[in-house]
């Protein structure tokens, strides 16, 4: 085990975390719009949102990486960095899944609460921001934390088309030099696990607590 | 001839809670015994011990010749001889009525499909549900589901049938149709133990009443004890019922 | 800057696309069958196995679910190669995908098994069914029926993620896409075409699950409700 290589793995882990956080930010913003679009009172908006979800959920992340990488220059933005391309692809991908998760949470509280809020004479926007969203957030947190794990694992796909130097990418480079796959892919796997497992546990714990609270 | 069911000083605890504190009674062949008593007195536990859903910790318990107090009971043999019906029906929701009834004859008795089908038709006719063969449990009323559960037990041709408050989840008007089926079985000479809260029914059908109180048989005898209880506890229980 | 789209060089190579599509379907079919089988066994062992076996399955599930598929595939395929075991590449890829998806399936089916009421198994035991018969007829089948929609989604994801094994040199659909890219340099067009094919495939997988569901769960066909 060469310390230089091990350091390079940590370097990759840092980039994995950066890409994950960017994805969470942008994917979350788009995802919120998608979720709201799915429960919009306007039929065309609902249709657009659900079509978007169906398409994104029917395409591999790898293909989206291609769009993220080659798309911007076609749209006239010139070449983008690997990080930017990966962020675009990951954000689009995650927005569809987060949008669906959050729609479920919104609807879970919306149904019983909607009429009550209506009776209070609140406007649609007020109902949403004052009544529905605050309650939906509570039940949305466990699956959202759970999806964080998916995002972190999926950033590994950014090593392929766009060639972003995250953890899997660096591990692959090291393996090409050393040909010790068990050691370096094993180490990379352990690093992923050390980041993901606590989040998985946290998500499960919060889920349980929520179930107990609602009983 | 030895009794079909014989309990002698049977004891059973859940953790530190002793539920059966030395229960003794017996049921002869062709007899119907009704187990009555307050909630929590151990009626269900006693019944479940008879089908070895619970293991006893003391005393002797013999059911259809199987000594359940001895180690190494052959469960498959016991359960060929004993049928049980639960309060919550416990039908298999993914199977039709006919498939529910045919499952055990096919898997356990290794009957052919045609044989099992015949058997199913025959027992379902006995409970008055011949026309419901292809329905799924959720399409039936509670009373009909409970009758299917009885038919499912009968299909194995048991020597003993156990019933645990099989009507207490039912509306009064559905209760009657289930009780009539049980009464019919009694008249055909089936040996049965039933836990019940239907005192009128117990008086009519049972040959033997076993009143359980605080984990023991407090009083037992013929149906006449329901009209002339010997102990104040049974008298109070009957008044409240 | 205006870009002129030219799909012809991509579409012209349709035999490659077709071949890739077939490999993807083949890979999906095999791993789906194995995944559901092993996942169901895993779920049974996880819920009813002896203690050490339960613990082993739990560890397996957590390790797989908390590391990326790509790392697992590299670890397995390059790892075995470095140990002198050169698997046929398609076999190695199918193995990696199966090991991965079986872990997710174990979790899904376990949730189904745990939702089966205790009274169901008691009733079956009292009818004299053996432990194995109880599992097969009264636990696993309704459990699978209950979690079937989640399973279908999971296996659509599997099909989509099978694109990743192009990274270890499998010529499935995405591998073919890579080839066509380096032949034609029509990168964007390749992604559009391949994306569209995957979209169709995802519908095909969903439809396949629906069909099998109709055959496997007649109650669903008749009443259309979840258990
Ligand atoms: N599996 C178990 N674990 C722990 N305690 C149990 C268990 N089963 C029953 N008990 C307890 O044993 C006692 C007797 O229960 P049982 O179900 O036999 O009563 P019962 O006479 O059938 O009452 P009911 O009329 O309410 O059905 C109760 O206090 C009950 O809480
Ligand atoms: Mg009871």
């Amino acid at each position: 085990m060469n310390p230089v290589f091990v350091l390079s793995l940590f370097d990759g882990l840092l980039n994995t975390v950066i890409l994950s956080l960017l994805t969470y930010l942008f994917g979350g913003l788009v995802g919120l719009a998608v979720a709201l679009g799915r429960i919009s009172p306007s039929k065309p908006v609902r249709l657009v949102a659900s079509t978007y979800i169906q398409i994104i959920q029917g395409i591999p992340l790898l293909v989206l990486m291609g769009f993220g990488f080659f798309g911007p220059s076609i749209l006239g933005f010139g070449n983008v960095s690997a990080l930017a391309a990966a962020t675009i692809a990951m954000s689009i991908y995650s927005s569809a899944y987060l949008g669906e998760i959050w729609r479920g949470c919104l609807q879970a509280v919306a149904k019983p609460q909607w009429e009550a809020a209506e009776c209070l004479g609140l406007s649609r926007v007020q109902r949403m921001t004052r009544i529905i969203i605050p309650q939906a957030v509570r039940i949305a947190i466990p699956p959202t934390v759970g999806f964080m794990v998916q995002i972190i694992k999926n950033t590994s796909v950014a090593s392929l088309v766009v060639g972003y130097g995250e953890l899997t990418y660096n591990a692959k480079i090291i393996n090409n030099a050393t040909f010790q796959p068990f050691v370096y892919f094993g180490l990379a796997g352990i690093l992923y696990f050390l980041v993901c497992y606590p989040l998985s546990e946290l998500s499960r714990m919060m889920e349980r607590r929520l179930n107990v609270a609602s009983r | 001839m030895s009794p079909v069911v014989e309990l002698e000083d049977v004891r059973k605890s859940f953790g530190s809670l002793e539920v059966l504190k030395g229960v003794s009674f017996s049921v002869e062949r062709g007899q119907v015994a009704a187990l009555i008593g307050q909630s929590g007195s151990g009626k269900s536990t006693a019944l479940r011990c008879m089908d070895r859903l619970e293991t006893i910790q003391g005393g002797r318990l013999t059911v259809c010749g199987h000594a359940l107090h001895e180690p190494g009971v052959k469960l498959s043999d016991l359960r060929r001889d004993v049928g049980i019906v639960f309060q919550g029906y416990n039908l298999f929701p993914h199977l039709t009525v006919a498939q529910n009834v045919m499952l055990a004859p096919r898997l356990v008795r290794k009957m052919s499909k045609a044989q099992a089908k015949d058997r199913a038709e025959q027992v379902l006719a006995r409970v008055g549900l011949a026309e419901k063969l292809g329905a799924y449990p959720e399409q039936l009323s509670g009373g009909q589901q409970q009758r299917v559960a009885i038919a499912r037990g009968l299909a194995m041709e048991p020597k003993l049938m156990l019933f645990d408050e099989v009507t207490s989840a039912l509306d009064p008007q559905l209760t009657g149709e289930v009780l009539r089926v049980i009464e019919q079985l009694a008249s055909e000479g089936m040996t049965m133990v039933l836990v019940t809260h239907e005192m009128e029914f117990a008086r009519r059908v049972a040959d033997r009443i076993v009143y359980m109180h605080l984990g023991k048989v407090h009083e037992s005898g013929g149906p006449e004890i329901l009209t002339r209880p010997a102990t104040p506890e049974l008298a109070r229980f009957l008044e409240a019922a | 800057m205006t870009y002129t789209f030219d799909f012809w060089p991509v579409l012209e190579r349709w035999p490659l696309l077709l071949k890739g599509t077939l490999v993807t379907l083949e890979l999906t079919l095999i791993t789906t069958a194995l995944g559901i089988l092993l996942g169901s066994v895993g779920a049974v062992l996880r819920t009813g196995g002896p203690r050490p076996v339960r613990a082993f399955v739990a560890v397996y599930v957590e390790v797989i679910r908390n590391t990326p598929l790509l790392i697992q595939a590299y670890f397995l395929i390059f790892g075995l190669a470095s140990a002198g075991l050169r698997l046929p590449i398609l076999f190695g890829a199918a193995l990696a995908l199966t090991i991965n998806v079986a872990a997710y399936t174990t979790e899904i089916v376990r949730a189904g098994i745990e939702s089966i009421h205790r009274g169901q198994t008691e009733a079956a035991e009292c009818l004299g069914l053996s432990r194995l018969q109880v599992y097969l007829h009264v636990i696993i089948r309704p459990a699978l029926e209950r979690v079937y929609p989640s399973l279908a989604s999971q296996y659509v994801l599997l099909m989509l993620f099978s694109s990743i094994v192009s990274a270890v040199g499998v010529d499935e659909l995405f591998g073919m896409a890579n080839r066509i890219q380096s032949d034609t340099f029509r990168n964007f067009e390749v992604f559009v075409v391949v994306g569209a094919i995957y979209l169709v495939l995802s519908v095909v997988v969903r439809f396949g699950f629906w069909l099998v569901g109709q055959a496997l769960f007649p109650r669903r066909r008749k009443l259309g409700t979840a258990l």
Side-chain angles (χ1 to χ4, degrees):
Chain A
M1 234 194 281
N2 185 325
V4 176
F5 291 146
V6 175
L7 272 181
S8 153
L9 287 181
F10 277 101
D11 214 32
L13 180 63
L14 182 64
N15 287 339
T16 293
V17 171
I18 290 172
L19 176 55
S20 302
L21 291 177
L22 287 173
T23 303
Y24 225 43
L25 179 62
F26 293 111
L29 286 175
V30 183
L32 187 60
V34 171
L36 292 174
R38 281 283 268 125
I39 58 168
S40 156
S42 144
K43 200 167 178 188
V45 173
R46 285 204 303 271
L47 193 70
V48 168
S50 70
T51 309
Y52 173 83
I53 290 174
Q54 301 250 291
I55 291 178
I56 301 304
Q57 293 195 344
I59 294 181
L61 179 54
L62 255 182
V63 170
L64 292 177
M65 287 285 172
F67 289 150
F69 198 60
F70 297 108
S73 67
I74 285 178
L75 293 173
F77 292 104
N79 286 333
V80 292
S81 69
L83 176 59
T87 303
I88 294 171
M90 287 289 299
S91 299
I92 293 175
Y93 183 80
S94 306
S95 68
Y97 289 89
L98 282 174
E100 247 335 63
I101 294 173
W102 290 343
R103 174 199 58 94
C105 298
L106 284 172
Q107 279 181 335
V109 280
K111 286 232 166 74
Q113 294 282 322
W114 198 249
E115 283 131 26
E118 205 165 27
C119 296
L120 293 173
L122 299 177
S123 76
R124 194 183 159 80
V125 173
Q126 282 174 324
R127 268 180 270 164
M128 211 64 202
T129 55
R130 302 277 170 78
I131 313 271
I132 308 296
I133 292 184
Q135 292 185 65
V137 164
R138 217 169 55 92
I139 57 173
I141 288 177
T144 306
V145 171
F147 193 72
M148 187 87 204
V149 176
Q150 306 299 324
I151 290 180
I152 294 167
K153 288 185 295 179
N154 287 342
T155 56
S156 63
V157 176
S159 68
L160 295 179
V161 173
V162 302
Y164 175 60
E166 46 65 73
L167 179 50
T168 303
Y169 185 88
N170 287 7
K172 182 79 193 309
I173 300 281
I174 297 167
N175 181 58
N176 290 347
T178 61
F179 206 57
Q180 286 182 298
F182 283 135
V183 175
Y184 291 103
F185 290 130
L187 272 178
I190 290 172
L191 289 180
Y192 276 113
F193 187 84
L194 290 178
V195 177
C196 292
Y197 182 70
L199 288 172
S200 300
E201 267 307 303
L202 182 66
S203 161
R204 252 192 301 237
M205 208 184 72
M206 292 191 298
E207 177 94 56
R208 266 199 302 271
R209 192 168 300 166
L210 203 63
N211 284 343
V212 171
S214 67
R215 214 167 273 152
Chain B
M1 210 165 134
S2 60
V4 177
V5 181
E6 187 161 30
L7 291 86
E8 282 174 67
D9 198 29
V10 166
R11 287 169 189 279
K12 169 76 190 172
S13 308
F14 293 110
S16 59
L17 177 74
E18 193 171 33
V19 177
L20 302 182
K21 302 172 181 170
V23 172
S24 307
F25 66 90
S26 60
V27 184
E28 303 294 329
R29 195 179 156 146
Q31 261 193 347
V32 177
L35 279 184
I36 60 172
Q38 271 99 338
S39 179
S41 55
K43 306 179 297 288
S44 295
T45 305
L47 199 76
R48 290 167 60 83
C49 287
M50 293 176 207
D51 207 8
R52 203 37 156 70
L53 283 168
E54 310 286 355
T55 46
I56 65 170
Q57 284 140 352
R60 300 163 64 83
L61 171 56
T62 311
V63 176
C64 297
H66 307 282
L68 303 190
H69 48 273
E70 283 170 9
V73 185
K74 208 103 193 290
L75 278 184
S76 53
D77 290 347
L78 171 70
R79 283 165 181 173
R80 269 167 189 257
D81 293 338
V82 182
I84 185 164
V85 183
F86 305 92
Q87 180 180 338
Y89 334 134
N90 295 342
L91 294 179
F92 307 127
H94 62 297
L95 301 179
T96 63
V97 165
Q99 288 167 338
N100 261 282
V101 177
M102 287 160 66
L103 187 71
R106 293 210 62 194
L107 295 176
V108 180
R109 296 248 193 247
K110 309 286 177 214
M111 282 188 195
S112 72
K113 199 168 177 174
Q115 275 177 308
K117 187 90 193 275
D118 280 349
R119 171 71 58 85
E121 281 168 1
Q122 184 193 321
V123 289
L124 282 167
R126 266 170 86 186
V127 300
L129 286 173
E131 78 286 10
K132 293 287 184 193
L133 282 168
Y136 284 94
E138 72 193 87
Q139 297 174 296
L140 304 180
S141 72
Q144 290 172 326
Q145 291 192 46
Q146 194 57 292
R147 285 186 282 151
V148 174
I150 295 172
R152 184 174 67 176
L154 291 177
M156 295 297 279
E157 299 188 318
K159 299 186 183 122
L160 167 71
M161 285 287 284
L162 307 174
F163 296 84
D164 191 358
E165 292 190 34
V166 294
T167 57
S168 53
L170 300 175
D171 297 341
Q173 69 264 37
L174 297 178
T175 299
E177 63 187 51
V178 174
L179 294 185
R180 268 192 296 283
V181 168
I182 297 175
E183 208 167 344
Q184 174 69 24
L185 288 178
S187 71
E188 289 165 10
M190 174 70 80
T191 313
M192 298 193 277
V193 180
L194 19 118
V195 174
T196 184
H197 282 155
E198 308 274 343
M199 291 308 138
E200 207 31 62
F201 178 70
R203 192 193 326 265
R204 198 165 68 234
V205 175
D207 305 296
R208 214 179 140 66
I209 305 290
V210 178
Y211 170 61
M212 288 188 63
H213 184 61
L214 302 175
K216 282 190 167 167
V217 176
H218 198 74
E219 186 176 341
S220 72
E224 70 281 355
I225 68 166
L226 291 176
T227 23
R228 285 185 297 280
T231 62
E233 285 80 6
L234 177 55
R236 255 199 308 272
F237 172 72
L238 290 172
E239 246 165 66
Chain C
M1 195 179 101
T2 50
Y3 180 90
T4 9
F5 285 94
D6 185 2
F7 283 97
W8 182 244
V10 182
L11 296 176
E12 193 182 47
R13 289 167 172 76
W14 65 267
L16 286 182
L17 292 172
L18 178 64
K19 219 173 133 204
T21 302
L22 290 178
V23 174
T24 291
L25 274 178
E26 186 186 333
L27 209 50
T28 304
L29 200 65
I30 294 172
T31 43
T32 300
L34 288 176
I36 291 181
L37 188 71
L38 292 178
S40 302
V41 173
V44 170
L45 293 177
R46 178 79 175 79
T47 50
R51 229 197 164 84
V53 176
R54 282 210 301 258
F56 174 82
V57 176
V59 170
Y60 155 69
V61 168
E62 290 305 324
V63 166
I64 296 294
R65 294 201 332 145
N66 288 292
T67 52
L69 169 61
L70 191 53
I71 283 286
Q72 294 160 14
Y74 283 157
F75 184 86
L76 185 82
I77 292 168
F78 293 136
L80 290 181
S82 80
L85 194 63
R86 291 205 168 272
L87 301 171
I89 190 65
L90 199 60
F91 183 88
L95 189 63
L97 287 172
T98 303
I99 290 175
N100 179 270
V101 81
Y104 290 89
T105 308
T106 298
E107 268 311 271
I108 294 174
V109 178
R110 177 174 80 122
I113 289 179
E114 282 172 355
S115 73
I116 303 291
H117 202 273
R118 176 89 188 89
Q120 291 283 305
T121 44
E122 262 182 13
E125 281 165 19
C126 289
L127 287 166
L129 272 65
S130 69
R131 225 172 121 80
L132 183 68
Q133 288 171 332
V134 173
Y135 259 105
L136 284 180
H137 296 272
V138 179
I139 298 182
I140 293 181
R141 230 173 66 143
L144 283 178
E145 183 173 344
R146 205 167 290 187
V147 299
Y148 201 64
S150 314
L151 277 184
S153 300
Q154 188 64 51
Y155 282 88
V156 170
L157 270 183
L158 167 77
M159 187 277 291
L160 297 174
F161 268 99
S162 73
S163 58
I164 273 180
V165 299
S166 60
V168 293
V170 179
D171 275 335
E172 42 66 76
L173 184 51
F174 200 84
M176 291 302 191
N178 283 333
R179 268 214 230 169
I180 298 173
Q181 279 187 79
S182 50
D183 282 2
T184 63
F185 299 105
R186 306 305 309 185
N187 303 306
F188 195 78
E189 288 86 338
V190 171
F191 282 109
V192 171
V193 171
V194 169
I197 299 178
Y198 273 111
L199 201 53
V200 173
L201 286 183
S202 69
V203 175
V204 168
V205 172
R206 272 202 188 279
F207 180 69
F209 261 85
W210 180 84
L211 266 187
V212 172
Q214 294 289 303
L216 236 46
F217 311 120
R219 199 192 64 92
R220 211 188 178 80
R221 189 170 61 222
K222 192 165 168 192
L223 304 179
T225 49
L227 276 173

